[in-house]
Amino acid sequence: NNETMLRLPIIPSNIVIKLCKIVKALFANENIILNLNSPMIIVGDLHGHIMDLFRIIKRFGPPPRTRYLFLGDIVDRGEFSIETIIFIYIMKALYPNEIFVIRGNHEFEEVCKLSGFLDDILSTYKSKELFYSFVESFDYMPIAALINDSILCIHAGIGPKIRSVADLAE
């Protein structure tokens, strides 16, 4: 078997906690519905598949040359949830006007607690504090993006009572 196991560096938890605080502050300063303009690469659910993220960036270019909108569900299911969210958070911290993230259902505490993200953090870092640092940053993520005032980007759809972007913002 010629397969090589991919091993990524483990960033110390105190640095990741600081990164979560930085990104949380960036999210807090954004509108709940982002108003963005094209061009922009829109990326759907990554679910911890960091190699997919690397391939996307290789194909379309890194920030700041290329702007990205991530449509949530960054964590859970894949082998590298922690590394995927950290990589996106580093890009967001470095390029806050080129990297945008909206919240998916896996960025809610109850979902990521039960779907693998908490277990990943506990097995790698043995720190519930780190998990809750991520959850707190998730709580500040915008929920949608409006591109060129005409394209609504949202993670999974809207309920029957939502009839307008104003309703969604409410």
Side-chain angles (χ1 to χ4, degrees), residues 6-46:
L6 178 62
R7 296 188 195 276
L8 298 174
I10 296 174
I11 298 171
S13 63
N14 62 321
I15 293 172
V16 178
I17 289 169
K18 287 178 188 175
L19 177 63
C20 286
K21 288 178 182 176
I22 290 166
V23 172
K24 176 185 132 182
L26 292 170
F27 290 149
N29 285 321
E30 294 177 338
N31 293 324
I32 190 107
I33 299 176
L34 299 167
N35 287 299
L36 305 173
N37 293 308
S38 60
M40 173 169 293
I41 301 300
I42 300 170
V43 180
D45 305 26
L46 286 167

Side-chain angles (χ1 to χ4, degrees), residues 98-118:
E98 285 80 27
I99 301 295
F100 300 95
V101 182
I102 62 174
R103 194 174 188 180
N105 58 304
H106 284 264
E107 283 76 48
F108 283 84
E109 178 181 348
E110 288 308 313
V111 176
C112 65
K113 185 185 280 185
L114 299 173
S115 298
F117 189 53
L118 173 60

